[in-house]
Amino acid sequence: MGLLPSSLKLILQFHKHLSFEGPVLSIGNQDIWANYEQLKTIFEEMGVRYCEPKEIARHTSYTFSSNEAINQLTDDFVHAKVFFEMLGLPDYCDIDKFVSDAPMHQHDMNMMIPQLFHDRFSLILDGGTIEHIFDIRQVMANILLALKVGGHVVHISSYSVDHGFYGISPTFFYDFYKANGFSDFSCFAMQVDFSDILSTYKNPQSIFEYQYGMPMKPYIESGKELLIFFVAKREKRYSNLMIPTQGIYGELREGNVQSTGDRDEVFVEKDNLSFLQKKANAIFNRFIGKTCPANNILRKWEI
């Protein structure tokens, strides 16, 4: 999928508020849809000072080299490490399964990452990779292994059908990271028309801020792919990956879970009908019944 100018601008916006630090790990060698001069313009537009990179490294993207039309357009597009060096984060590494994209470290993320990556990085970027990896539990475990306490993770994931193995909804990120010691969540949805992307990749894209549990259907534009941008900060480290319960169901059962040694026993309320009614009402309100007027959205704009 790579990072369009609009995606780069949103990352810069996150950086302005969160002050990302390195070292950086990119899951997948991300395609940067800009040359160096265009990147400088993007930084200036977003009000972010940039550092001069030691080298304006050219991309190593297989996608950009896959046919003549794309190759001509992207010939001077830069490598992702140039963007992060401009951001003041020169300590950069990317990891990818496929040698065709010339990753700095070749590894299949369906498998545990090597020990040398454990507790090493303060920023991890998933620029649209994890939905293409079958063992998503192992991918998330790898992120937990690699990210330092105090570091940030940034996801940009497709919500569309058949883009990858999975279309990842915001609740996946919220519930997983809440269960595993993260906080300071931010989530935005960007809508992109990829039908003529070679002509429109520079165009501003529509974005709205997502609030946990809000219905998204009223705001999804026909013919556009929905990209979920999610950022979280790690506050603590647990010895094992914690498996979350999806928030809506966890809230419904709150107060009905009792520890019984090595397992949890769920006690159903005496009034089963009451419990089922509450469950049905909550699901209806979240996914069907809410209209959530536009003024309830924190922010909606083009970038």
Side-chain angles (χ1 to χ4, degrees):
M1 182 167 59
L3 302 177
L4 300 174
S6 292
S7 299
L8 297 171
K9 291 177 182 179
L10 194 52
I11 291 173
L12 290 178
Q13 184 164 305
F14 287 140
H15 177 64
K16 287 174 67 175
H17 293 284
L18 300 173
S19 299
F20 293 144
E21 297 180 354
V24 179
L25 175 64
S26 176
I27 302 177
N29 182 0
Q30 296 301 320
D31 301 337
I32 301 294
W33 285 75
N35 60 35
Y36 179 55
E37 293 301 319
Q38 292 165 344
L39 279 183
K40 290 196 293 185
T41 300
I42 289 170
F43 272 77
E44 290 166 357
E45 287 179 1
M46 297 304 296
V48 178
R49 296 181 63 182
Y50 62 85
C51 303
E52 293 285 348
K54 292 181 179 179
E55 177 191 3
I56 304 174
R58 184 179 181 272
H59 74 82
T60 58
S61 167
Y62 174 79
T63 300
F64 286 167
S65 305
S66 60
N67 68 55
E68 185 175 350
I70 300 177
N71 190 39
Q72 288 181 356
L73 174 68
T74 64
D75 184 60
D76 61 348
F77 284 8
V78 301
H79 194 281
K81 63 184 178 183
V82 175
F83 171 74
F84 285 104
E85 191 170 352
M86 293 175 70
L87 203 59
L89 306 175
D91 192 351
Y92 166 91
C93 180
D94 53 56
I95 188 168
D96 205 311
K97 176 181 179 180
F98 300 106
V99 69
S100 57
D101 276 321
M104 299 175 70
H105 189 91
Q106 187 179 4
H107 179 76
D108 183 351
M109 291 291 280
N110 286 293
M111 311 297 290
M112 181 184 291
I113 56 172
Q115 184 70 36
L116 65 93
F117 285 97
H118 292 196
D119 199 27
R120 174 177 167 185
F121 300 96
S122 292
L123 177 61
I124 295 180
L125 170 67
D126 158 36
T129 300
I130 69 168
E131 63 262 35
H132 301 283
I133 301 171
F134 186 79
D135 193 345
I136 198 165
R137 174 170 172 166
Q138 183 61 60
V139 175
M140 302 309 289
N142 285 338
I143 290 172
L144 296 182
L145 287 171
L147 188 65
K148 295 179 178 180
V149 172
H152 290 88
V153 60
V154 178
H155 289 279
I156 308 172
S157 294
S158 173
Y159 189 63
S160 63
V161 175
D162 282 349
H163 172 85
F165 284 119
Y166 312 100
I168 301 180
S169 62
T171 189
F172 174 84
F173 295 124
Y174 274 103
D175 295 336
F176 176 82
Y177 284 115
K178 181 179 179 182
N180 283 279
F182 287 68
S183 66
D184 294 345
F185 305 137
S186 295
C187 187
F188 295 84
M190 178 184 293
Q191 303 186 77
V192 182
D193 182 356
F194 283 101
S195 62
D196 189 22
I197 197 63
L198 296 186
S199 300
T200 63
Y201 73 94
K202 293 182 183 179
N203 291 356
Q205 308 297 338
S206 174
I207 296 177
F208 62 86
E209 186 170 13
Y210 174 85
Q211 300 178 28
Y212 185 79
M214 66 175 274
M216 300 179 70
K217 188 175 180 180
Y219 311 104
I220 298 176
E221 301 174 29
S222 177
K224 293 189 175 183
E225 183 169 333
L226 193 65
L227 306 180
I228 304 301
F229 287 69
F230 183 87
V231 182
K233 180 180 180 180
R234 187 170 206 170
E235 299 290 353
K236 60 183 72 173
R237 178 182 297 278
Y238 298 132
S239 57
N240 296 304
L241 179 150
M242 307 298 289
I243 299 174
T245 298
Q246 188 176 352
I248 184 173
Y249 301 106
E251 291 169 7
L252 287 168
R253 293 185 178 274
E254 191 172 334
N256 293 325
V257 180
Q258 178 177 320
S259 176
T260 55
D262 61 350
R263 66 187 181 95
D264 289 334
E265 186 73 28
V266 178
F267 294 93
V268 179
E269 297 178 4
K270 293 180 180 179
D271 186 350
N272 290 328
L273 182 60
S274 173
F275 175 78
L276 294 174
Q277 186 64 51
K278 285 197 298 182
K279 180 175 181 179
N281 288 343
I283 294 173
F284 179 86
N285 287 333
R286 180 173 181 186
F287 297 106
I288 303 172
K290 290 181 181 178
T291 57
C292 193
N295 59 11
N296 283 352
I297 296 180
L298 293 180
R299 280 179 285 175
K300 183 177 182 181
W301 76 104
E302 288 190 342
I303 190 170

